[in-house]
Amino acid sequence: MSDNNEKIIVKGNGPLKGKVKISGAKNSALPILAACLLGTEDIILSEVPKLKDIEIMLEVLKSLGSEITYLDDTTIKINSKNINSYETPFELMDKMRASFVVMGPLLARFNKTKTKSPGGCNIGKRPVDLHLKGFKSLGAKTVQDHDEISAVAENGLKGAIIYLDFPSVGATQNIMMAATMAKGETVIENAAKEPEIVDLSNFLTKMGAKIRGAGTSIITIEGVEKLTGTNHAIIPDRIEAATYMIAAAMTKGDVVIENVIGAHIRPVIAKLIEVGATVEESKDEDIIRVKADKRLNGTTIKTLPYPGFPTDAQAQFMALMSICNGESRVKETVFENRFMHVDELVKMGASVLTEGNEAAILGVDKLKGANVKATDLRAGAALVMAGLVAEGETVISDIYHIDRGYSDIVGKFRNLGANIKRVKVD
């Protein structure tokens, strides 16, 4: 895992070629790890990605009293039968925003929970008010000041109808978990539809929860007395898959992506075909092949909640657009601070103008290597990809952001023929 004095150095090295296997989805693994707090028997999770954020979440579970055993690199046994605390340690909460999803399970187990206001990537406002609105509807009293958030349900949680003003993934997950053991029926309206929601629902159902409608905008949860144990494999990471697919296309490469579910990344596949790449999906196996043999054409993308174009693939696609024919446009509708990679791409010779939540990109013939900074997780991936097609050497600092969401990005790109390495710097 990285620390602040490591950098990634990339040199343009021609097309990417070969195979890459996608890891389990970070955004699925984190809430599922939190949901392990609900189980009273052994839970075995496989395909858990090796990431900094996962390490922090496991620290959170340990601090609450869960027993954790690694069975192999990506398989973990978790037993939360004897958890003994409902307070998430502040110093862990500071490191990762997603640890906020332990509030729902803790509220379900103890009828109370307390934590610090969350940290994480600085890509715009991600308020927790929808989470708290859900807890309140279920009968909890919530208190939020600038430092601390708590929820207490003195008479236990009771099912309710909860309408989300925005289909927030985190709020949908947190409310689902809190509702699994509430008395009666809970209905979440305008729920998020992401594959990660479906994965969490499948996992909870295996533990004995009664949930229907995950993947649609209305999720119904019938409370049960207790949840047990199970075995579960985390779904593949659709954003990691999208990243390698886009990289294959922009380097004029030919890459086979293994362990990928095409249905989860339809908009990315559609846009790659639109710009002129070839995308072949294998019907019976989870394999997608992406290739390109010419300069690609500009296009327009607009980020939207699932099933729209994912905000988490916007920076990577902009890196591709920066060397396309003609003009491209990006409209970011999910996070208002999602253009932090633009200044860094411009240092590499990209031609990008932003106004508000829109960006216009005029494709250039060549990017040039530069010293750049990963301003957030996906921005970091985009800069690595820009480095793959740039003349000369690109040095990326603050790579701890990248390690939060990509398992062995340097090793995987190197296996595809990239000239890339990590170095320690004094």
Side-chain angles (χ1 to χ4, degrees):
M1 292 301 163
S2 72
D3 44 43
N4 284 359
N5 63 355
E6 278 191 301
K7 293 185 178 179
I8 290 176
I9 299 178
V10 192
K11 288 183 184 158
N13 198 32
L16 295 178
K17 290 205 157 69
K19 290 180 181 174
V20 62
K21 182 176 184 263
I22 299 307
S23 303
K26 168 188 116 150
N27 290 339
S28 217
L30 292 170
I32 284 174
L33 284 168
C36 290
L37 293 166
L38 293 162
T40 51
E41 294 170 14
D42 281 350
I43 291 166
I44 294 175
L45 293 181
S46 55
E47 296 292 335
V48 181
K50 291 170 68 178
L51 300 170
K52 193 72 194 156
D53 277 11
I54 297 290
E55 280 181 13
I56 296 168
M57 184 58 95
L58 290 170
E59 287 296 317
V60 171
L61 295 189
K62 273 186 206 154
S63 74
L64 297 167
S66 299
E67 290 173 24
I68 291 173
T69 318
Y70 264 94
L71 303 180
D72 65 37
D73 252 12
T74 56
T75 310
I76 306 175
K77 181 169 84 173
I78 297 156
N79 190 306
S80 301
K81 185 180 175 192
N82 299 319
I83 56 169
N84 50 22
S85 172
Y86 57 88
E87 284 193 44
T88 318
F90 281 15
E91 69 278 4
L92 292 174
M93 201 59 214
D94 235 10
K95 290 183 185 171
M96 182 184 67
R97 183 187 171 80
S99 45
F100 194 72
V101 292
V102 299
M103 279 200 94
L106 290 173
L107 195 53
R109 278 287 291 262
F110 292 106
N111 286 326
K112 55 183 171 182
T113 177
K114 187 158 122 189
T115 188
K116 181 182 189 296
S117 296
C121 260
N122 180 24
I123 53 177
K125 286 199 282 289
R126 299 157 97 175
V128 294
D129 50 0
L130 291 176
H131 302 241
L132 301 182
K133 173 183 169 177
F135 297 158
K136 272 185 205 149
S137 302
L138 295 171
K141 278 200 180 72
T142 63
V143 177
Q144 179 178 18
D145 59 32
H146 65 286
D147 239 10
E148 191 176 292
I149 299 174
S150 64
V152 179
E154 277 170 9
N155 306 315
L157 298 173
K158 294 187 181 59
I161 294 174
I162 300 162
Y163 175 82
L164 297 178
D165 301 319
F166 175 83
S168 154
V169 176
T172 302
Q173 291 165 335
N174 233 341
I175 296 163
M176 268 168 78
M177 292 187 277
T180 52
M181 296 196 281
K183 285 190 179 66
E185 183 178 85
T186 299
V187 180
I188 307 172
E189 298 179 337
N190 197 27
K193 302 175 188 172
E194 271 71 2
E196 294 79 11
I197 302 282
V198 178
D199 203 24
L200 175 62
S201 170
N202 291 343
F203 172 69
L204 290 167
T205 302
K206 288 182 191 174
M207 287 164 71
K210 292 186 173 165
I211 302 172
R212 25 178 230 284
T216 75
S217 58
I218 296 179
I219 301 176
T220 306
I221 303 123
E222 186 69 50
V224 295
E225 295 261 304
K226 69 172 199 146
L227 297 178
T228 55
T230 189
N231 290 8
H232 184 77
I234 305 289
I235 58 170
D237 194 314
R238 62 195 169 99
I239 303 301
E240 189 193 15
T243 301
Y244 288 105
M245 287 165 67
I246 297 164
M250 70 187 277
T251 61
K252 299 183 185 147
D254 183 351
V255 176
V256 173
I257 290 104
E258 301 177 322
N259 193 35
V260 55
I261 299 172
H264 292 173
I265 42 175
R266 282 280 155 250
V268 176
I269 292 172
K271 285 294 168 187
L272 283 171
I273 293 168
E274 196 180 297
V275 298
T278 305
V279 182
E280 298 165 5
E281 289 184 71
S282 118
K283 289 281 178 284
D284 45 352
E285 300 162 87
D286 298 336
I287 290 175
I288 294 178
R289 182 178 181 184
V290 178
K291 49 188 180 176
D293 55 8
K294 58 184 184 301
R295 189 175 180 193
L296 302 169
N297 297 315
T299 186
T300 300
I301 61 172
K302 177 181 178 181
T303 66
L304 288 163
Y306 191 85
F309 192 96
T311 179
D312 278 353
Q314 179 259 103
Q316 301 90 308
F317 219 93
M318 193 187 286
L320 174 147
M321 291 166 158
S322 69
I323 53 164
C324 282
N325 281 319
E327 190 177 336
S328 296
R329 298 193 88 86
V330 173
K331 186 167 185 178
E332 174 59 61
T333 74
V334 180
F335 289 121
E336 77 274 10
N337 202 13
R338 204 88 215 233
F339 285 152
M340 295 199 295
H341 48 281
V342 169
D343 288 349
E344 305 303 304
L345 285 172
V346 168
K347 284 181 194 168
M348 298 178 69
S351 170
V352 188
L353 286 176
T354 59
E355 189 173 337
N357 66 340
E358 298 195 31
I361 303 101
L362 193 59
V364 296
D365 288 341
K366 272 269 189 283
L367 295 175
K368 300 183 289 293
N371 289 334
V372 290
K373 212 197 301 212
T375 50
D376 62 67
L377 165 54
R378 307 304 171 186
L383 294 170
V384 170
M385 291 158 64
L388 295 172
V389 296
E391 274 181 341
E393 183 175 271
T394 301
V395 181
I396 301 143
S397 58
D398 288 4
I399 63 170
Y400 59 90
H401 283 300
I402 301 174
D403 289 333
R404 286 191 35 238
Y406 289 93
S407 182
D408 191 22
I409 193 168
V410 168
K412 287 182 180 182
F413 270 128
R414 194 183 285 140
N415 285 343
L416 295 172
N419 183 343
I420 181 171
K421 62 184 179 186
R422 296 176 81 108
V423 294
K424 272 214 175 343
V425 280
D426 296 331

